[in-house]
């Protein structure tokens, strides 16, 4: 804060400062919010972060049944190489019409 900053204050005593009966509200006017604040966000003027879509979060999540189904239904009929136990299943680029797992299951 600078000398002539515009801030919004609210009543409320600060215990460790004598004679100070006002508090500055973070995130209003010239007082910036706290960055990276996840808990008690309303007290510090922090906005709720945008959630990443579930498709993006679970993009490379594969389980063993996905690998087996991929090898049976996709790799063998099309002549593609099979996937081993530690590899990710290549996901199709088009979105699924029904909300089920990609290869059976």
């Amino acid at each position: 804060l600078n000398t002539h900053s515009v801030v919004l204050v609210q009543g409320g005593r600060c215990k460790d400062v004598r004679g100070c009966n006002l508090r500055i509200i973070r995130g209003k006017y010239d007082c910036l919010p706290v960055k990276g604040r996840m808990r008690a966000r309303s007290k510090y003027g922090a906005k709720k972060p945008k959630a990443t879509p579930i498709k993006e979060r679970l993009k490379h999540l594969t389980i063993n049944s996905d690998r087996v189904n991929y090898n049976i239904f996709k790799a063998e009929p099309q002549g593609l190489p099979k996937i081993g136990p530690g590899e990710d299943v290549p996901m199709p680029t088009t979105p699924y019409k029904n909300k089920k797992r990609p290869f059976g299951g």
Side-chain angles (χ1 to χ4, degrees), residues 3-94:
T3 307
H4 299 289
S5 294
V6 177
V7 293
L8 183 65
V9 294
Q10 72 176 9
R13 184 173 158 240
C14 189
K15 292 181 181 179
D16 59 345
V17 182
R18 283 187 175 197
C20 181
N21 296 327
L22 298 173
R23 291 184 177 185
I24 295 175
I25 297 182
R26 301 289 303 248
K28 286 289 183 181
Y29 308 127
D30 291 337
C31 188
L32 296 176
V34 178
K35 283 190 176 180
R37 184 79 187 189
M38 298 305 284
R39 294 186 182 140
R41 290 181 290 108
S42 62
K43 289 182 181 179
Y44 298 95
K47 299 287 184 192
K48 189 168 186 174
K50 297 279 184 183
T52 55
I54 194 161
K55 280 188 179 180
E56 193 66 30
R57 280 185 278 154
L58 304 177
K59 189 159 102 177
H60 299 294
L61 180 68
T62 54
I63 56 176
N64 195 34
S65 64
D66 285 339
R67 291 185 192 97
V68 171
N69 289 334
Y70 177 81
N71 287 336
I72 293 171
F73 297 114
K74 186 96 173 180
E76 287 179 6
Q78 295 182 7
L80 299 171
K82 291 188 176 182
I83 317 177
E87 300 177 50
D88 287 335
V89 175
M91 301 300 273
T93 56
T94 58

Side-chain angles (χ1 to χ4, degrees), residues 55 66 91-92 94-105:
K55 280 188 179 180
D66 285 339
M91 301 300 273
T94 58
Y96 309 116
K97 290 182 181 172
N98 53 4
K99 309 251 177 179
K100 293 183 179 177
R101 287 190 162 271
F103 306 106

